[in-house]
Amino acid sequence: QVQLVESGGGSVQAGGSLRLSCAASGYTYSDYCMAWFRQAPGKEREGVAQIDRSGLTTYADSVKGRFTISRDNAENRLTLQMNSLKPEDTAMYYCAARPSAGYCYLLVPSPFNYWGHGTQVTVSS
């Protein structure tokens, strides 16, 4: 059974940093595109970043240059380093997995089959 468990959320002031982690189990990790999504109250879930089996990454324009996604295929772990955080980054952050032979395509929620329960990130001004 596929399980994704996020950790590392919290509250920080604007300009601060947080590091999110996602522990994956129950499948061949390297066969999946891995991604982070976020959802703020009253807004749709949006893609933040994704990474394929080789380490090729895609970022939302709003986080480029501030966030870094990485994966460890040996440890089945996904991370999101978030720097220079802004109040508009406040949201619930979700780890997601897509069985696509490890390749990534559009950064949208619907093709991702597996989701974690989320971890809250709050950035105050």
Side-chain angles (χ1 to χ4, degrees), residues 6-10 20-21 36 91-95 116-121:
E6 302 97 335
S7 61
L20 305 184
S21 292
W36 289 97
M92 185 72 78
Y93 283 70
Y94 298 91
C95 172
H117 291 297
T119 185
Q120 178 67 37
V121 171

Side-chain angles (χ1 to χ4, degrees), residues 17-102:
S17 298
L18 283 173
R19 184 179 180 87
L20 305 184
S21 292
C22 173
S25 62
Y27 65 102
T28 304
Y29 184 72
S30 60
D31 286 348
Y32 284 65
C33 169
M34 298 299 298
W36 289 97
F37 288 81
R38 67 186 181 187
Q39 188 166 18
K43 294 188 176 182
E44 292 186 354
R45 191 167 296 190
E46 64 173 358
V48 175
Q50 64 183 357
I51 184 167
D52 75 5
R53 61 185 300 169
S54 69
L56 186 65
T57 57
T58 305
Y59 293 94
D61 287 344
S62 59
V63 306
K64 280 181 182 177
R66 300 188 298 122
F67 292 10
T68 302
I69 189 172
S70 60
R71 66 187 290 168
D72 185 330
N73 289 338
E75 296 290 329
N76 290 3
R77 183 167 297 275
L78 179 73
T79 62
L80 184 69
Q81 178 66 42
M82 304 186 295
N83 298 327
S84 302
L85 282 160
K86 304 176 180 180
E88 51 263 45
D89 294 318
T90 295
M92 185 72 78
Y93 283 70
Y94 298 91
C95 172
R98 173 180 178 174
S100 54

